[in-house]
Amino acid sequence: MKKFFNKDFWQLPEFMYDRHLRVLAWMLAFVAVICVILAFRTNIILGYISMVFTLIVTVVAYITLKQITEDTTEYISDLSYRIKRGEQDALIKMPIGILFYDKESHIEWINPYMQRYFDNQEVLGKPLKEVDHQLYEQLEAKQDNKDKDIEVKLHGRAFSLMVQKDIDALYLMDVTHYAEIRQEYEDTRLVIGQIFLDNYDEVTSAMNDKDISNLGNFVTNALSDWAREFGIYLKRVDEDHFFILTYAKTLKVLEEEKFKILDEVRKWTSKQNSPVTLSVGIAYGGSDLTQLAKLSQNNLDLALGRGGDQVVVKAVDGQARFYGGKTNPMEKRTRVRARMISQALTELMNQADQIFVMGHRHPDMDSLGACLGVRRIAAMNGKQCWIVLDQEDLHSDIERLLEELEQYPNIKGSIITPEMALEKATKDGLLIMADHSKPSMSIARPLYDKLKNRVMVIDHHRRGEEFPDNPILVYIEPYASSTCELITELFEYQSKDSEPINKLEATAMLTGIIIDTQSFALRTGTRTFDAASYLRSVGADLVMARHFMKESVNSYMQRNHLVERTEFTEGEAICCGEEDRVYDPVIAAQVADSLLNVSGVEASFVITKRASGKIGVSARSNGTKNVQVIMEEMGGGGHLSNAATQIADTTVGAVKEQLLAILKQEQENKE
């Protein structure tokens, strides 16, 4: 009786608390009542039978639903317990390090797996920075990479670091095994290289068979020992050509030691009065062997184009890295090569319907003089050649030359603006890039883009990584003093029946040689004097040349002002212009040249602001320091003794600090 009056007895069953089931139950009850009423109205016996049947069905349904509800509740309760227990076990036992920290990066909780990496020391409540500075730095770095997991190195193992910022938790998953597999894959990727003996033919041409054999044996033995030491496959394919095959892991070691084999071969052969240097092109980072072989050849060509005695290392999709190049390039060009280039140039000109020649931006006398020389060669072959020149913001020597050209209307009429050249250019035109090989330095970049498959390069600067994609002819000789010297040699193999070079053209080209050699004091070889002698013989006027080289009073004052601002260190002179004052790049170059005349100065650097807003650096050396390598580290290039760079979005002071850091590092490497 007590159970009957107990309020729990009269509570609705649990399944009736579900709104949908409750509605369904009331609907079925309503239908059942209607059916029973209709049965009684039809027949009283049928009514009783329906009522009994309805009660039985109701009781069975009630018991069944109640049992289902109890079973479901029990299953959910058991599942919840198992899930919660699994979560707890995961936090404690799974091989994942878990750490909770507060806003100040104090450790609030870690799981036992994570505790092992703290040598079981008490860490709760302590700043993570004090407990494990390395992990703290990785956590801070992770804040900047919120959208991806990063791999970190901690205590000699590799982990995948995940951060859940909303609850201030970090997770470390040990991926050392997979990292080792990946590292092994990277270390064993193939590297293909080619080694070339730069001047082997020239050196051995005057040697007897015994000396040639001794030289060949030394080089072969030196390279074989080097290959054996580092586990490199070496195969000689020609007297002056070797093929190498190795792994990426070995390449890292070779780069760390700066390819000392270059110095060893150079020093020994120099002592034997048979100076042979090596040029090496190395390619890696791809799975296509054909592509790697082609890239290694391109890298070798780049090393040779930069003067040899160096290594060019480049990945398939990476930037080139340079090693060596510590010496001036040796004279390797011959009269035969000059004759072949002259003949090839004649053929290209005869095949073209339009010929254009252009120098670099802010042209100097070597650039414009070379353009005048190319125009004359075209005239000798009965072809019109247009000189592309932007006549705004020219230096005084170029302005004086243009004034003298007023007396030569044919030449003056051949000078056109970049816009006019772009209008005249056709698909069968020929573009000659003089005194530069970087398209970004061209006076008319749109013209280059239009004729990029019809380009010839004539230059005396070391070839850089930026280079025309598909040049049809390349004449780059880093040994030459100037581009005017190279052009002058081409005249000797042109038709003698055509109109020769005139006085003004010869004077302009001779002026270019004089300026680039600092009056024959630097970068001067026997061929330089031969070219100057030829130009004098065809009418070059030294009085007019000196007239071209005169500078204005303003330029003279600016140059002296910069010299006064020079700071002298041990072996270097560093001159910095004002932050808010723009200097002409030619004046900066002149200051750099003049500073070499100071006793004890081996290299000079002039840092000034340019009209473009960039900061320019003009670097010069007397040959004992390689300023080209220094400028390449700052994004520029040039020669061992003559280089430059331009840097955007910076200041004169910042560039000076960058330069000083590079010089300091270079000094430390020597020590």
Side-chain angles (χ1 to χ4, degrees):
M1 194 59 137
K2 291 181 180 179
K3 184 178 179 180
F4 181 78
F5 287 105
N6 192 333
K7 63 179 181 179
D8 293 335
F9 181 80
W10 293 101
Q11 281 186 345
L12 289 173
E14 189 173 344
F15 67 83
M16 288 297 288
Y17 287 100
D18 188 301
R19 185 172 61 86
H20 299 90
L21 289 178
R22 190 165 61 249
V23 171
L24 179 62
W26 285 118
M27 290 177 62
L28 291 175
F30 178 75
V31 172
V33 171
I34 296 297
C35 290
V36 171
I37 292 174
L38 291 176
F40 272 110
R41 290 176 62 87
T42 303
N43 186 296
I44 190 169
I45 296 175
L46 182 61
Y48 281 114
I49 293 173
S50 298
M51 185 176 64
V52 172
F53 179 76
T54 300
L55 290 173
I56 293 172
V57 170
T58 301
V59 171
V60 171
Y62 173 82
I63 294 172
T64 302
L65 287 174
K66 186 175 181 181
Q67 186 63 43
I68 291 174
T69 302
E70 291 175 354
D71 292 344
T72 301
T73 302
E74 183 179 355
Y75 171 76
I76 293 174
S77 176
D78 179 64
L79 181 61
S80 298
Y81 169 77
R82 288 163 57 200
I83 291 174
K84 191 170 183 180
R85 178 67 180 271
E87 290 175 348
Q88 293 174 348
D89 288 345
L91 287 173
I92 297 173
K93 298 179 180 179
M94 281 190 68
I96 299 178
I98 304 174
L99 183 148
F100 289 92
Y101 56 92
D102 60 18
K103 300 301 180 182
E104 286 74 32
S105 297
H106 288 74
I107 300 175
E108 293 186 320
W109 182 86
I110 60 173
N111 67 340
Y113 188 83
M114 189 74 172
Q115 180 69 56
R116 296 186 305 171
Y117 295 104
F118 296 121
D119 298 326
N120 295 318
Q121 62 176 307
E122 182 62 39
V123 298
L124 296 183
K126 295 182 179 180
L128 180 59
K129 188 174 183 179
E130 294 181 6
V131 174
D132 194 316
H133 185 74
Q134 189 178 4
L135 179 59
Y136 174 78
E137 289 182 345
Q138 297 290 356
L139 177 62
E140 290 297 305
K142 174 63 179 174
Q143 309 301 329
D144 300 327
N145 297 277
K146 299 177 181 178
D147 299 330
K148 61 180 182 180
D149 300 332
I150 59 175
E151 186 175 302
V152 299
K153 297 286 186 179
L154 294 171
H155 308 291
R157 302 189 68 81
F159 296 90
S160 177
L161 173 64
M162 296 162 281
V163 176
Q164 193 171 355
K165 187 61 181 174
D166 55 339
I167 61 172
D168 293 330
L170 67 82
Y171 307 91
L172 287 175
M173 181 176 292
D174 195 331
V175 293
T176 305
H177 176 66
Y178 304 103
E180 289 173 349
I181 294 175
R182 183 174 63 252
Q183 188 62 49
E184 183 178 0
Y185 166 74
E186 293 294 338
D187 288 344
T188 55
R189 298 193 74 177
L190 282 179
V191 174
I192 292 179
Q194 299 188 52
I195 302 176
F196 185 78
L197 308 185
D198 294 333
N199 49 339
Y200 184 80
D201 290 339
E202 289 77 9
V203 170
T204 58
S205 61
M207 297 171 64
N208 57 45
D209 292 343
K210 179 182 178 181
D211 292 336
I212 293 174
S213 177
N214 290 336
L215 177 63
N217 288 338
F218 166 75
V219 173
T220 302
N221 290 335
L223 289 175
S224 297
D225 292 342
W226 171 72
R228 192 179 305 110
E229 178 185 354
F230 293 100
I232 301 171
Y233 172 76
L234 176 74
K235 178 68 176 178
R236 188 168 193 165
V237 296
D238 205 346
E239 288 185 343
D240 55 1
H241 198 179
F242 294 82
F243 173 82
I244 61 175
L245 191 66
T246 187
Y247 295 119
K249 183 178 182 179
T250 303
L251 177 60
K252 291 179 182 178
V253 178
L254 294 175
E255 291 191 80
E256 288 174 359
E257 62 142 26
K258 308 294 183 184
F259 290 90
K260 292 182 180 179
I261 185 65
L262 298 180
D263 300 329
E264 294 175 6
V265 171
R266 186 193 324 109
K267 289 178 181 178
W268 188 90
T269 56
S270 296
K271 290 179 181 179
Q272 305 303 315
N273 296 321
S274 52
V276 172
T277 58
L278 305 180
S279 288
V280 186
I282 295 178
Y284 71 99
S287 56
D288 187 338
L289 295 181
T290 302
Q291 183 185 23
L292 285 178
K294 183 178 179 181
L295 180 58
S296 70
Q297 181 61 55
N298 292 340
N299 291 344
L300 177 60
D301 293 340
L302 177 55
L304 292 169
R306 289 163 53 83
D309 190 25
Q310 58 192 280
V311 181
V312 177
V313 181
K314 186 176 185 295
V316 172
D317 297 319
Q319 298 291 323
R321 301 187 294 278
F322 304 99
Y323 300 91
K326 299 178 180 179
T327 59
N328 273 314
M330 297 182 181
E331 184 170 8
K332 296 185 285 293
R333 78 186 197 279
T334 64
R335 298 286 182 182
V336 175
R337 176 163 168 75
R339 176 174 56 81
M340 293 174 60
I341 292 294
S342 183
Q343 293 173 353
L345 176 59
T346 298
E347 292 177 7
L348 290 174
M349 286 181 168
N350 290 331
Q351 295 169 6
D353 61 352
Q354 295 278 343
I355 302 172
F356 303 90
V357 59
M358 65 178 177
H360 50 74
R361 293 195 307 271
H362 307 296
D364 53 17
M365 287 300 292
D366 185 37
S367 174
L368 188 53
C371 291
L372 290 171
V374 171
R375 193 209 71 86
R376 174 53 62 185
I377 292 176
M380 289 178 171
N381 290 278
K383 305 290 288 188
Q384 172 68 55
C385 176
W386 304 103
I387 299 174
V388 183
L389 180 66
D390 186 354
Q391 299 192 31
E392 295 183 3
D393 193 25
L394 297 176
H395 196 254
S396 58
D397 54 356
I398 303 299
E399 291 178 344
R400 293 190 187 97
L401 175 57
L402 294 179
E403 290 175 3
E404 292 292 335
L405 283 176
E406 296 293 343
Q407 303 176 30
Y408 299 85
N410 289 339
I411 301 178
K412 185 72 173 180
S414 299
I415 300 177
I416 60 176
T417 64
E419 292 75 21
M420 294 173 62
L422 194 60
E423 292 178 3
K424 291 177 177 291
T426 63
K427 63 182 181 65
D428 294 321
L430 173 65
L431 174 62
I432 300 173
M433 297 169 59
D435 200 34
H436 72 294
S437 61
K438 294 183 178 181
S440 62
M441 293 179 61
S442 295
I443 286 178
R445 178 61 188 264
L447 179 63
Y448 164 81
D449 292 334
K450 189 172 184 178
L451 297 175
K452 60 184 178 181
N453 293 321
R454 298 279 300 166
V455 172
M456 176 184 177
V457 177
I458 304 178
D459 191 17
H460 73 111
H461 298 98
R462 295 193 187 211
R463 174 179 166 178
E465 187 176 358
E466 182 189 354
F467 198 73
D469 295 330
N470 237 349
I472 54 179
L473 186 61
V474 175
Y475 189 30
I476 295 180
E477 293 292 352
Y479 177 79
S481 67
S482 58
T483 308
C484 285
E485 177 186 331
L486 296 176
I487 301 295
T488 301
E489 290 187 342
L490 303 183
F491 282 116
E492 300 180 31
Y493 306 101
Q494 295 298 316
S495 173
K496 306 301 180 183
D497 299 329
S498 55
E499 182 181 354
I501 183 173
N502 61 40
K503 174 183 176 180
L504 182 60
E505 291 168 333
T507 303
M509 296 180 70
L510 180 59
T511 306
I513 295 176
I514 293 173
I515 292 176
D516 271 27
T517 60
Q518 294 187 40
S519 298
F520 302 99
L522 293 175
R523 300 180 297 277
T524 305
T526 57
R527 304 281 283 278
T528 309
F529 291 105
D530 290 343
S533 177
Y534 172 81
L535 293 173
R536 284 285 287 142
S537 69
V538 294
D541 187 348
L542 287 176
V543 175
M544 184 183 294
R546 283 196 293 270
H547 169 67
F548 289 151
M549 291 187 289
K550 286 182 178 179
E551 57 183 323
S552 65
V553 173
N554 183 49
S555 297
Y556 182 79
M557 297 299 291
Q558 284 192 30
R559 185 158 59 87
N560 287 333
H561 174 69
L562 282 174
V563 171
E564 290 179 356
R565 295 178 60 85
T566 304
E567 298 177 9
F568 294 92
T569 60
E570 186 176 350
E572 291 111 10
I574 300 176
C575 173
C576 297
E578 295 87 343
E579 295 284 357
D580 57 350
R581 184 173 178 179
V582 174
Y583 288 90
D584 189 291
V586 176
I587 293 175
Q590 290 173 344
V591 172
D593 287 332
S594 64
L595 289 174
L596 288 180
N597 297 323
V598 178
S599 176
V601 174
E602 298 176 348
S604 60
F605 304 89
V606 179
I607 308 171
T608 57
K609 186 175 182 179
R610 302 288 171 85
S612 62
K614 296 181 179 180
I615 304 301
V617 184
S618 292
R620 298 292 186 270
S621 167
N622 60 6
T624 56
K625 284 185 178 292
N626 190 338
V627 293
Q628 176 208 354
V629 175
I630 296 172
M631 290 298 99
E632 283 179 342
E633 287 193 43
M634 301 178 71
H639 278 286
L640 178 144
S641 59
N642 184 343
T645 187
Q646 292 188 44
I647 308 174
D649 302 323
T650 186
T651 63
V652 172
V655 172
K656 178 184 177 182
E657 292 301 320
Q658 182 183 358
L659 174 62
L660 290 173
I662 294 173
L663 293 174
K664 182 179 179 181
Q665 183 63 45
E666 188 180 65
Q667 185 63 32
E668 291 176 352
N669 292 338
K670 287 182 179 180
E671 295 174 353

